[in-house]
Amino acid sequence: MSEDKKNKNHPDNDQDMMKLVDNLNRKEDVNLNRRAFLKASFGTTVALGLATTPFGVMSAIGNDKEDTERIEIATADELAVGEAKNFNYPTEDEPAVLVRTPDDQYVAYNNKCTHLQCPVFYEHKDNVLLCPCHKGYFDVNSGHPIAGPPQRELPKILLEVKDGKVFAVGREYRHG
Amino acid sequence: MDKKRITFLSIFLFLAINVISLSKVIEGYYGQEYSHVYTFMIVALISTGLATIAFFLWRKEEYKR
């Protein structure tokens, strides 16, 4: 090993020692950090502010599509009280569940869990909608989460019962 | 409180406003509440503009000889 390499971590002249003292100038150090911290905070503020715009643009584009298609999903006597039926609404890719509750009311929700998109099932015994993946429970009458990890309600499908048939006529993401 | 300190602290206030606005915008977008998306997007953009003004005022004061 050469002599230079051996001594590379040892100050070999006064100039290096002076640099070391400069580096320990605490006041200067704090000032520089304060400035850098503010600049980083400002950059973050701008980045977060601008990050909202794509959502605004996508909302403006997607806002035109309304879920108002009217589809027949069941006949009124097809389901007994306490039974459920799966269907898709408003598109074939969006599964939903129709429930005839013990109060003899029809309710329907998109049945992708609002936690991690697992399918939600109707539990007749407890009269709840259950997501078995992480034990998320939803109120069958409102679609709102009552236990487990989900925080948001299930999208509600608006129904119309007419001439012995149940129709899906719209959808509300936020309700109740 | 002097101008430099006010501008310094206001940037953190605008940062907090933007964090909340972004979370509301995302929530509104996925909840299809488009009016919320537009409202909080405008709040975030105004806050960003004010933060920019505050930053330049702070810089002017900070680097003044």
Side-chain angles (χ1 to χ4, degrees):
Chain A
M1 193 183 282
S2 71
E3 199 61 29
D4 283 353
K5 274 191 178 174
K6 262 187 194 172
N7 294 326
K8 75 172 183 184
N9 291 325
H10 297 283
D12 55 355
N13 59 35
D14 291 345
Q15 192 63 35
D16 281 351
M17 281 306 288
M18 281 168 71
K19 279 183 191 164
L20 195 61
V21 171
D22 281 348
N23 196 26
L24 292 173
N25 188 340
R26 188 165 172 236
K27 191 169 183 295
E28 184 72 5
D29 204 9
V30 170
N31 281 341
L32 288 172
N33 279 340
R34 182 179 57 82
R35 285 175 174 173
F37 180 59
L38 186 84
K39 285 173 186 172
S41 302
F42 169 66
T44 310
T45 306
V46 172
L48 293 178
L50 295 181
T52 59
T53 47
F55 292 98
V57 172
M58 287 190 289
S59 299
I61 294 167
N63 204 358
D64 303 335
K65 292 180 243 162
E66 295 220 351
D67 307 323
T68 54
E69 203 181 347
R70 184 185 163 94
I71 294 177
E72 183 190 331
I73 49 176
T75 53
D77 54 0
E78 190 178 330
L79 293 178
V81 169
E83 280 188 352
K85 178 193 176 183
N86 287 333
F87 64 102
N88 296 299
Y89 187 85
T91 64
E92 282 300 310
D93 302 327
E94 292 171 278
V97 61
L98 170 72
V99 180
R100 190 170 178 184
T101 65
D103 308 333
D104 202 9
Q105 297 289 316
Y106 286 98
V107 289
Y109 305 97
N110 277 122
N111 68 341
K112 272 187 194 169
C113 181
T114 53
H115 175 225
L116 288 175
Q117 312 280 300
C118 288
V120 172
F121 301 96
Y122 176 59
E123 276 281 308
H124 171 58
K125 199 176 77 179
D126 302 320
N127 192 32
V128 289
L129 293 161
L130 164 69
C131 172
C133 290
H134 303 100
K135 289 203 187 310
Y137 292 88
F138 297 88
D139 185 340
V140 75
N141 294 310
S142 67
H144 282 255
I146 48 177
Q151 298 293 310
R152 282 183 291 119
E153 65 268 42
L154 294 168
K156 184 180 189 176
I157 292 170
L158 305 176
L159 301 174
E160 190 181 292
V161 183
K162 199 174 179 184
D163 301 331
K165 290 172 181 171
V166 184
F167 296 93
V169 294
R171 177 166 68 169
E172 284 179 353
Y173 265 78
R174 285 297 172 95
H175 50 87
Chain B
M1 211 186 284
D2 64 338
K3 194 174 166 185
K4 196 167 90 175
R5 182 166 285 264
I6 291 169
T7 50
F8 185 91
L9 293 176
S10 66
I11 286 173
F12 296 104
L13 174 71
F14 295 129
L15 176 61
I17 290 171
N18 279 7
V19 168
I20 294 164
S21 296
L22 182 60
S23 78
K24 293 279 183 189
V25 162
I26 293 170
E27 208 172 281
Y29 177 73
Y30 286 107
Q32 297 202 354
E33 294 172 301
Y34 297 122
S35 61
H36 284 208
V37 175
Y38 302 135
T39 306
F40 286 103
M41 185 184 77
I42 289 164
V43 169
L45 293 178
I46 291 170
S47 160
T48 304
L50 293 175
T52 308
I53 293 167
F55 175 72
F56 283 109
L57 288 175
W58 169 81
R59 204 175 69 162
K60 197 174 155 190
E61 292 292 316
E62 178 73 15
Y63 292 101
K64 197 158 65 182
R65 280 174 189 267

